[in-house]
Amino acid sequence: MAIREQHLQEALPTLEPGVEVSMKLGGALLTPESLNDGGSRKMVGSMLLLEAESLEAVTERIESDIYYTSGVWDRSRLVILPYVKALGTTTVS
C-alpha cells in the first residue's frame, strides 16, 4: 500500500522530541481471534497515543494525515479523547 508508506514517512517527525504533536505510539487494533489464527490478522481499527498542548493541535495533526485525507480512516468513527497517565511507560518493545 503506497499510502501506508507515505503515512509512516509523514509520521516520523512526530517521533522527535520538541514537536507540537508528539506521537508516543501507534498501530493497528486486531480482533482477539487474530492472536490464535497462526499469523492471520484481522484489523478492526487503529490507535494513536499523541502528546500535545491541546485537542485542537491533535485534531489538526490527524486531519492532515494521508490516512484521513484519502479515506483510509473512517472519519465518522474517529474519536479523540484526552488521556491522563497513571502508571507505566511509553517504552514499547
Side-chain angles (χ1 to χ4, degrees):
M1 174 189 284
I3 291 176
R4 182 176 190 269
E5 291 308 314
Q6 184 176 345
H7 165 72
L8 295 175
Q9 286 300 311
E10 290 176 358
L12 287 176
T14 66
L15 299 173
E16 298 297 322
V19 294
E20 182 181 11
V21 177
S22 174
M23 183 181 304
K24 300 304 180 185
L25 59 91
L29 298 172
L30 307 175
T31 64
E33 298 78 25
S34 296
L35 298 174
N36 303 320
D37 268 353
S40 176
R41 296 188 274 178
K42 175 149 173 49
M43 187 174 164
V44 294
S46 343
M47 68 82 54
L48 300 172
L49 180 58
L50 303 171
E51 182 176 42
E53 290 296 318
S54 68
L55 289 175
E56 291 79 13
V58 170
T59 300
E60 283 180 28
R61 169 63 187 92
I62 294 300
E63 290 179 353
S64 70
D65 193 289
I66 187 74
Y67 273 12
Y68 185 90
T69 60
S70 67
V72 172
W73 286 333
D74 181 347
R75 294 176 184 193
S76 69
R77 296 181 62 195
L78 178 67
V79 178
I80 299 174
L81 299 169
Y83 166 80
V84 176
K85 180 178 165 184
L87 296 170
T89 175
T90 56
T91 303
V92 178
S93 58

